[in-house]
Amino acid sequence: MSKVSLLLGVLLFTAACSSTPPQNHEYSLMLGALPTSGVVAAEKTETLNIRRIDLPAFLQTRALAMQVAENEIVSARYHSWTDRLDNSIARVLELMLVDERPKLAITEATDAACQLELRFDRFHAAAKGEVLASGRYSLVANGAVTSRGFDASRALPVGGYGKSVIQLRLSLNDLASEIDEAITAAGGCEGKASASESDDVEIDP
């Protein structure tokens, strides 16, 4: 093969490689939260209904979001969630809360002893090297309403969307622990909610 033919072949191969479209990446928030061993069975004496999870508009898409400036969000073109983010957050919180409280059953029943609503203002990575997870939750338990802000943001030691998903999931672990403490402080989630407790609960602004 002549040098000209060899050079032409290299150039064609390089051009073909450079025209390869970027690979799409999908991330599951829930897979990393699934237990690796069997769950210990326990009698379910407490019930909790995760009634609502609100997200800002920029988190209501499948694209992962990155905050690149104080007021600027960029949506990734080739990095997306496998499922709706609010559903994934609810599922991870369910797993984490039951892990914290083995006697707790997560249910959609409106007469569950505890009712939980959450509003996320942030649940995304930031270019300065952290994941931001903050908002407000409202817990109704034993006739009392606990409504407070939370900030479960974490440092992001290694960059990349995959690493940020891991840290976001861990931030939900921290949030579940905080909610568990609030449930304990309210006296647990045993019994059933009264009619007044089953009414709509508004999260304070």
Side-chain angles (χ1 to χ4, degrees):
M1 179 182 293
S2 67
K3 291 183 178 180
V4 174
S5 298
L6 180 60
L7 178 60
L8 180 60
V10 171
L11 291 175
L12 289 174
F13 177 77
T14 303
C17 292
S18 63
S19 63
T20 302
Q23 182 179 358
N24 291 319
H25 300 268
E26 292 193 353
Y27 303 91
S28 169
L29 191 63
M30 191 181 72
L31 286 179
L34 292 172
T36 55
S37 59
V39 178
V40 177
E43 181 184 0
K44 302 298 184 181
T45 58
E46 296 185 307
T47 56
L48 173 96
N49 180 6
I50 302 177
R51 297 183 59 182
R52 190 176 74 214
I53 294 179
D54 290 332
L55 299 172
F58 73 90
L59 292 176
Q60 294 178 15
T61 69
R62 289 188 61 200
L64 269 69
M66 171 76 73
Q67 184 172 345
V68 296
E70 182 180 1
N71 298 308
E72 184 178 359
I73 295 288
V74 173
S75 296
R77 294 184 60 186
Y78 303 106
H79 300 267
S80 59
W81 297 108
T82 55
D83 305 288
R84 278 181 41 166
L85 188 53
D86 56 345
N87 290 341
S88 294
I89 289 174
R91 181 62 177 137
V92 171
L93 283 176
E94 174 182 342
L95 291 170
M96 295 300 101
L97 284 170
V98 171
D99 185 62
E100 296 270 359
R101 306 179 72 88
K103 294 184 178 181
L104 181 68
I106 307 298
T107 176
E108 296 182 359
T110 57
D111 63 348
C114 289
Q115 309 283 334
L116 178 66
E117 298 189 359
L118 301 105
R119 183 192 72 213
F120 282 83
D121 299 318
R122 305 183 299 177
F123 195 77
H124 57 273
K128 58 182 180 179
E130 60 182 335
V131 295
L132 307 175
S134 64
R136 196 169 188 84
Y137 71 85
S138 179
L139 172 71
V140 180
N142 295 309
V145 179
T146 302
S147 183
R148 61 178 59 145
F150 67 87
D151 189 344
S153 301
R154 301 173 65 93
L156 185 60
V158 180
Y161 283 105
K163 299 298 184 182
S164 70
V165 169
I166 293 173
Q167 294 302 317
L168 285 170
R169 176 178 57 77
L170 292 176
S171 75
L172 293 179
N173 292 10
D174 298 337
L175 176 57
S177 295
E178 182 176 338
I179 294 171
D180 172 56
E181 292 175 0
I183 292 173
T184 299
C189 291
E190 295 185 352
K192 293 185 177 181
S194 66
S196 60
E197 293 168 10
S198 297
D199 295 338
D200 288 340
V201 178
E202 297 294 333
I203 297 179
D204 296 336

